[in-house]
Amino acid sequence: MRFSIIAKVLGVLLMLFSLTLVPPTLVSLWYHDKSHLSFLMAFFITLITGLVLWFPTFNIKQELRTRDGFLVTALFWAVLALFGALPFIFSAASSLSITDAVFEALSGLTTTGATVIVGLDYLPQSILYYRQQLQWLGGIGIIVIAVAILPMLGIGGMQLYRAETPGPVKDNKLTPRITETAKALFVIYLTLTVTCALAYWAAGMSLFDAIGHAYATVAIGGFSTHDASIGFFNSEAIYIIAIIFMILSGINFALHFTVWRDRSIKSYWRDPECRFYLTMILLGLSITIGYLYYTNTYNLSSSFLVGSFELVSILTTTGFGVADFTVWPTFLPYLIFMFAFMGGCASSAGGGMKMIRIMLIFKQGIREINRLIHPNAIIPIKVGSKTVSDRVVEAVWGFFAVYVICYVAMMLILLGTGLDVTTAFTAVGACINNLGPGLGDVAANYSSVNTPAKWVLCFAMLLGRLEVFTLLVLFSPMFWRR
Amino acid sequence: MRFSIIAKVLGVLLMLFSLTLVPPTLVSLWYHDKSHLSFLMAFFITLITGLVLWFPTFNIKQELRTRDGFLVTALFWAVLALFGALPFIFSAASSLSITDAVFEALSGLTTTGATVIVGLDYLPQSILYYRQQLQWLGGIGIIVIAVAILPMLGIGGMQLYRAETPGPVKDNKLTPRITETAKALFVIYLTLTVTCALAYWAAGMSLFDAIGHAYATVAIGGFSTHDASIGFFNSEAIYIIAIIFMILSGINFALHFTVWRDRSIKSYWRDPECRFYLTMILLGLSITIGYLYYTNTYNLSSSFLVGSFELVSILTTTGFGVADFTVWPTFLPYLIFMFAFMGGCASSAGGGMKMIRIMLIFKQGIREINRLIHPNAIIPIKVGSKTVSDRVVEAVWGFFAVYVICYVAMMLILLGTGLDVTTAFTAVGACINNLGPGLGDVAANYSSVNTPAKWVLCFAMLLGRLEVFTLLVLFSPMFWRR
Ligand SMILES: [K+]
Ligand SMILES: [K+]
């Protein structure tokens, strides 16, 4: 590890992040909500720390190498969460403990959307705006990293995408890839956000709420400016806009780029992962809507609207709510919750294991069965016309297994801190899948969860966002050798 | 599929099974418990069905092929459970419904040990004896199949054991392998049972109870002749004998064979799976005993005795009980329950995923991490001195994933039938791991579970006993082609 180059990158990152504290300061001044000093303090602390890290290293000309990508990616979320927590700590209005502030900031940046705050409707606008903006920044952050860095690191089979990314590819240096790719992706991300915000505004939200919810929608974040989430607006039009933009935001942004470049909307259906994603949504919708209507939980039109909203919100791991799906009959809450393990497509801001991996697990499972019947046959696994290498197959299997094992370990620790089974099981699931709401005591918010459990859940959010392996690699002694 | 040869095998199997109804008939006559007619009726029905299947096919000289092994193995448990249920249906004393009778018989034969009967202490001796004997038969059945057939079928990586089995190996014909291997394994199984029974008897059990519990111990079955299970005897000596024989019975029987042939007890520790198994037991014991003592749940000596008994009983998937571990503090019940997913060693009567697979999953997980750090290195996975092939690696990963997916699917169905989360989660776990007791409503017995749920749990027991894939293969259209 070359710490000076990593210090330089972190320094630049913090200086850039400090700039993102300017908009909430302006919001505070605009609304006279008396929180501008909190943001200014956080701004200076972040900027100065960034300068201190950057200054001794500014004339270092080393390039980041592939392997440094693990550390930079992990530090991106860990360090930004610490500095991002500052305004929550300084603000008298939110007055969060350090634990709560870090939890809230990390939940925002990882686009998890789990909140420890009750009484959102009474918070200063600047704090509300800042939470939404954290998600938006976290969203573009993970998309750029997923498209530009993860395929090169080969995390959990993501080397599949190595050849497909926009921008120069064959290079082993990270920086040019990131800047080129980031530009293209940011334009798409911004376009989606602006369109979504205009749609919300047109449908009746205030401009403030429209921008805030567009941030959280496109980032698959799920933070809201109201305790009642999107349900606050009680508007069919807004629900439908949210459903459409959640589905769009769950699609691979490299695929959005292809569609935009080729001006061909058919590419969505031609892409195997996107086709699988849309199929899973249709499957989930049929079961949810059908079962809601069959059990007389809602009338037909409400079953459609509310069922679609909740299913899409959980499956894409957005986590917005318009109704309390946790009280729906028998298996439905857990089934819907299980869809969050699928999550969005790779290279979106969605959480979960990602559709591509679930699709490969299905295909690989069927191959294992067919191999038993024909032990000597060579049965390739294909994604589209591409044959998947054994290395990818093993990486995907391994990803699934390590995901499940980490899940169980964290759940046992949460039980040890005194949480009940439903809460422990779903809190870990909601955090590792970057979903947000769970069942039991964490159906609405995480305010009742004890402090040690909150730190475990912070780890879960980070683990999920970093595709498990980026974080686990850092615990391997082999990583730190040489 | 050649149905005539399979009919012949089933015919022979049923005729043999009918003979096992003679001992309980004799027990009934000895104790004058008025149940002998139930057993005689079951005997004749089974014998005649066997004859009807066998007679038209007796001069067929075809050999069973490897691929027929899937169907024969699956039918072994499914068909024997149906006929094994007859005495429970006929007996006025037990008077079980068809569902309950099949559940109880399958639970016995798969050595799960989940029971729907409350009031064991008041049942006729012959019925009690018969339940214990079902487990004993199921135990030797799975051991023979695991040693002789599963390695050839290559289920979930078990081709690892292909070269190690006693008896002729290179042959593609099933019959000679089975008879040769079965003899050697049966001698070991019988020796363990007799020793265990004598020990129980010497420690104060009645001869009847000693034989019955020896059956259930060596088969990793967990059925008891008392509602209070082994706790009924309230004897330290009996607890310790049970612990020792549960640990012994959880070891690979092919390894027992090696130790016996080479007269070298060191082979136990030289065997990588057995070493891992003993290490996991020590790990589980340390946590359980330490936490029980630390939380003042028991005094030091009781923490040792009761903690060891419950941990070994659940980890080996025996399912005997001397105390209600489900009320132990915070994470301990779930942690202990999780150990049942490891289960015994391959080629024992133990359930769970088997120690060898858990060991491989650990090694494979670490390899995946190291591969990320050194993408171009070739990192072999070794079991002892043997390198594990990629095919085995993929099969083990696949086994784990399919296990988890089947688990979740069955749990959702159970929730749909109205069970609560804890009960649904642990009932599936207790059945797919062939463990027996769960938490929640199924901590003591399964009498309160609804009928559809019982059938799902029957499927779970069968799925676990058949190493998942043997059963899933039968649902593949490719299997039935040609
Ligand atoms: K989310
Ligand atoms: K058992």
Side-chain angles (χ1 to χ4, degrees):
Chain A
M1 293 298 107
R2 295 152 315 151
F3 288 101
S4 49
I5 175 70
I6 286 166
K8 183 178 176 182
V9 171
L10 273 186
V12 173
L13 201 64
L14 283 177
M15 289 189 286
L16 285 174
F17 184 70
S18 72
L19 297 182
T20 70
L21 293 164
V22 174
T25 314
L26 299 178
V27 169
S28 180
L29 293 172
W30 176 267
Y31 284 101
H32 304 291
D33 69 8
K34 307 189 187 87
S35 299
H36 57 282
L37 283 181
S38 313
F39 287 103
L40 282 179
M41 274 167 66
F43 167 75
F44 283 115
I45 292 176
T46 309
L47 182 64
I48 290 165
T49 314
L51 277 169
V52 168
L53 280 170
W54 171 79
F55 188 73
T57 59
F58 78 98
N59 56 359
I60 287 178
K61 292 272 175 268
Q62 276 181 299
E63 278 290 339
L64 276 175
R65 292 173 316 183
T66 304
R67 204 166 134 188
D68 301 323
F70 293 105
L71 198 58
V72 171
T73 307
L75 284 175
F76 180 91
W77 272 277
V79 171
L80 291 196
L82 291 181
F83 286 87
L86 293 178
F88 295 125
I89 296 172
F90 295 148
S91 164
S94 64
S95 73
L96 297 185
S97 68
I98 292 180
T99 301
D100 280 357
V102 172
F103 185 95
E104 194 78 10
L106 190 61
S107 172
L109 283 166
T110 57
T111 78
T112 306
T115 184
V116 289
I117 300 176
V118 190
L120 291 171
D121 302 75
Y122 309 107
L123 278 189
Q125 274 89 339
S126 56
I127 296 277
L128 289 175
Y129 173 83
Y130 176 64
R131 289 171 76 244
Q132 306 301 112
Q133 186 189 271
L134 277 179
Q135 295 218 308
W136 194 66
L137 293 171
I140 185 67
I142 190 59
I143 291 170
V144 170
I145 285 178
V147 174
I149 301 186
L150 294 185
M152 272 175 41
L153 301 183
I155 306 268
M158 285 306 105
Q159 54 268 62
L160 257 185
Y161 288 104
R162 209 169 274 170
E164 285 177 5
T165 49
V169 181
K170 272 124 212 144
D171 209 332
N172 196 30
K173 294 171 185 166
L174 282 179
T175 329
R177 284 176 61 78
I178 295 175
T179 42
E180 275 310 298
T181 311
K183 268 183 223 161
L185 295 173
F186 184 71
V187 170
I188 298 165
Y189 192 70
L190 191 64
T191 312
L192 261 181
T193 311
V194 171
T195 322
C196 181
L198 290 175
Y200 279 144
W201 194 28
M205 279 194 194
S206 71
L207 186 60
F208 180 82
D209 277 349
I211 293 172
H213 285 88
Y215 279 175
T217 307
V218 177
I220 318 246
F223 269 163
S224 173
T225 52
H226 302 284
D227 284 335
S229 189
I230 297 265
F232 172 87
F233 302 100
N234 199 16
S235 147
E236 283 191 22
I238 288 175
Y239 294 2
I240 291 167
I241 292 166
I243 292 173
I244 292 169
F245 278 91
M246 288 192 283
I247 293 177
L248 281 176
S249 308
I251 293 174
N252 188 329
F253 271 65
L255 179 60
H256 281 313
F257 177 84
T258 311
V259 168
W260 171 76
R261 189 192 56 200
D262 301 350
R263 306 276 184 277
S264 155
I265 207 163
K266 277 188 200 155
S267 301
Y268 286 126
W269 192 251
R270 268 202 297 267
D271 180 75
E273 184 191 22
C274 189
R275 200 164 56 225
F276 184 77
Y277 166 70
L278 296 172
T279 311
M280 286 297 113
I281 291 178
L282 286 178
L283 177 73
L285 287 179
S286 323
I287 301 174
T288 307
I289 296 167
Y291 200 70
L292 282 177
Y293 184 64
Y294 165 76
T295 55
N296 283 317
T297 311
Y298 292 105
N299 64 27
L300 190 60
S301 69
S302 289
S303 296
F304 256 96
L305 190 66
V306 177
S308 303
F309 189 98
E310 294 292 323
L311 187 274
V312 169
S313 171
I314 303 294
L315 180 142
T316 58
T317 74
T318 311
F320 280 141
V322 297
D324 187 2
F325 80 96
T326 67
V327 297
W328 286 352
T330 67
F331 70 90
L332 209 49
Y334 282 90
L335 179 75
I336 293 177
F337 190 78
M338 286 298 161
F339 273 104
F341 283 83
M342 298 187 172
C345 299
S347 307
S348 74
M353 295 196 217
K354 308 289 175 300
M355 284 293 167
I356 181 77
R357 292 204 185 91
I358 302 292
M359 188 176 88
L360 283 172
I361 285 168
F362 273 116
K363 290 188 182 212
Q364 292 173 186
I366 288 166
R367 173 166 81 162
E368 285 303 318
I369 291 173
N370 289 339
R371 271 182 166 179
L372 291 173
I373 302 167
H374 298 297
N376 301 316
I378 289 164
I379 309 166
I381 289 176
K382 296 201 165 194
V383 172
S385 57
K386 259 205 289 189
T387 299
V388 176
S389 74
D390 275 3
R391 184 69 167 264
V392 169
V393 169
E394 287 181 19
V396 170
W397 281 135
F399 182 88
F400 180 86
V402 171
Y403 206 85
V404 171
I405 291 166
C406 290
Y407 194 111
V408 171
M410 289 189 289
M411 182 185 145
L412 287 174
I413 298 173
L414 288 198
L415 288 172
T417 70
L419 300 191
D420 69 84
V421 178
T422 301
T423 305
F425 177 76
T426 60
V428 175
C431 287
I432 200 175
N433 290 328
N434 298 128
L435 164 62
L439 312 177
D441 294 348
V442 294
N445 60 67
Y446 287 66
S447 58
S448 67
V449 171
N450 62 70
T451 302
K454 276 183 187 140
W455 285 104
V456 174
L457 293 173
C458 282
F459 187 79
M461 292 192 257
L462 211 50
L463 205 60
R465 185 76 306 176
L466 294 171
E467 309 259 296
V468 184
F469 279 99
T470 317
L471 197 52
L472 289 186
V473 158
L474 304 184
F475 289 99
S476 157
M478 200 187 263
F479 181 77
W480 298 101
R481 255 175 244 153
R482 267 199 322 128
Chain B
M1 293 297 107
R2 294 150 318 149
F3 289 99
S4 49
I5 176 69
I6 284 165
K8 182 178 174 182
V9 171
L10 272 187
V12 173
L13 201 63
L14 283 176
M15 290 190 287
L16 285 174
F17 184 69
S18 72
L19 296 182
T20 71
L21 292 165
V22 174
T25 315
L26 298 177
V27 169
S28 180
L29 293 172
W30 174 269
Y31 284 101
H32 303 291
D33 69 7
K34 307 191 187 86
S35 298
H36 57 283
L37 283 181
S38 313
F39 287 104
L40 282 178
M41 275 167 66
F43 168 74
F44 282 114
I45 292 176
T46 310
L47 183 63
I48 289 165
T49 314
L51 277 169
V52 167
L53 279 169
W54 172 77
F55 189 71
T57 60
F58 78 96
N59 56 358
I60 287 178
K61 292 274 176 266
Q62 277 181 297
E63 277 290 339
L64 277 174
R65 291 175 315 182
T66 304
R67 204 166 137 188
D68 301 323
F70 293 105
L71 198 59
V72 170
T73 307
L75 284 175
F76 180 91
W77 272 276
V79 172
L80 291 195
L82 292 181
F83 285 88
L86 293 178
F88 294 125
I89 296 171
F90 295 149
S91 163
S94 66
S95 70
L96 297 184
S97 67
I98 291 180
T99 300
D100 281 355
V102 172
F103 185 95
E104 193 79 10
L106 189 61
S107 171
L109 283 167
T110 57
T111 80
T112 305
T115 185
V116 290
I117 300 177
V118 191
L120 291 171
D121 303 77
Y122 310 106
L123 277 189
Q125 275 88 341
S126 55
I127 295 277
L128 290 175
Y129 173 83
Y130 175 64
R131 288 170 76 244
Q132 306 301 111
Q133 187 190 272
L134 276 179
Q135 295 219 306
W136 194 66
L137 294 171
I140 186 66
I142 189 60
I143 291 170
V144 169
I145 285 177
V147 174
I149 301 185
L150 294 186
M152 273 173 45
L153 302 183
I155 306 266
M158 286 305 105
Q159 54 269 59
L160 256 188
Y161 287 105
R162 209 170 272 168
E164 286 178 4
T165 50
V169 181
K170 271 124 213 142
D171 207 333
N172 197 27
K173 294 170 186 166
L174 282 179
T175 329
R177 284 177 60 80
I178 296 174
T179 43
E180 275 308 298
T181 312
K183 269 183 221 163
L185 296 173
F186 184 71
V187 171
I188 298 164
Y189 193 71
L190 192 64
T191 312
L192 262 180
T193 312
V194 171
T195 321
C196 182
L198 289 174
Y200 279 144
W201 195 27
M205 280 194 193
S206 71
L207 187 59
F208 179 82
D209 277 349
I211 294 172
H213 285 87
Y215 279 174
T217 308
V218 177
I220 318 246
F223 269 164
S224 172
T225 52
H226 303 283
D227 283 334
S229 189
I230 297 264
F232 172 86
F233 302 102
N234 198 17
S235 148
E236 284 191 22
I238 287 176
Y239 293 3
I240 291 168
I241 293 166
I243 293 172
I244 293 170
F245 278 92
M246 287 191 285
I247 293 176
L248 281 176
S249 307
I251 293 174
N252 187 328
F253 271 65
L255 180 60
H256 281 314
F257 177 84
T258 311
V259 168
W260 171 76
R261 190 191 56 200
D262 302 349
R263 305 276 184 279
S264 156
I265 208 164
K266 278 186 198 155
S267 300
Y268 285 127
W269 191 252
R270 269 201 297 268
D271 180 73
E273 184 190 22
C274 188
R275 202 164 54 226
F276 185 77
Y277 167 69
L278 297 172
T279 311
M280 286 297 113
I281 291 178
L282 286 177
L283 177 73
L285 288 179
S286 322
I287 301 174
T288 307
I289 296 168
Y291 200 70
L292 282 178
Y293 184 64
Y294 165 76
T295 54
N296 284 318
T297 312
Y298 292 107
N299 64 29
L300 190 60
S301 69
S302 288
S303 295
F304 256 96
L305 191 66
V306 176
S308 303
F309 189 98
E310 294 293 322
L311 187 273
V312 169
S313 173
I314 303 295
L315 180 142
T316 59
T317 74
T318 311
F320 280 140
V322 296
D324 188 1
F325 81 98
T326 65
V327 297
W328 287 353
T330 65
F331 70 91
L332 209 48
Y334 282 88
L335 179 76
I336 293 178
F337 190 78
M338 286 299 160
F339 272 104
F341 282 83
M342 299 188 170
C345 300
S347 308
S348 74
M353 295 196 217
K354 308 290 174 301
M355 284 293 166
I356 182 75
R357 292 203 186 92
I358 302 295
M359 188 175 88
L360 284 171
I361 285 168
F362 272 117
K363 290 188 182 212
Q364 291 173 189
I366 288 167
R367 175 166 81 162
E368 285 304 317
I369 291 173
N370 288 338
R371 272 182 166 178
L372 291 174
I373 303 168
H374 298 297
N376 301 316
I378 289 164
I379 310 168
I381 288 176
K382 296 202 167 196
V383 173
S385 58
K386 260 205 288 190
T387 298
V388 177
S389 75
D390 274 4
R391 184 70 168 263
V392 169
V393 170
E394 285 181 19
V396 170
W397 281 135
F399 182 88
F400 181 86
V402 171
Y403 206 86
V404 171
I405 292 165
C406 290
Y407 194 111
V408 171
M410 289 189 291
M411 183 185 144
L412 287 174
I413 298 174
L414 288 197
L415 287 173
T417 70
L419 299 192
D420 68 83
V421 178
T422 302
T423 305
F425 177 75
T426 61
V428 174
C431 286
I432 200 175
N433 289 328
N434 298 127
L435 164 61
L439 311 177
D441 295 347
V442 291
N445 61 68
Y446 286 66
S447 57
S448 67
V449 172
N450 64 69
T451 303
K454 276 184 187 140
W455 286 104
V456 174
L457 292 173
C458 282
F459 187 78
M461 290 192 256
L462 211 50
L463 205 60
R465 185 77 306 175
L466 295 172
E467 309 260 293
V468 184
F469 279 98
T470 317
L471 197 51
L472 289 186
V473 158
L474 304 184
F475 290 98
S476 156
M478 200 188 263
F479 181 76
W480 299 101
R481 256 176 242 152
R482 272 198 320 129

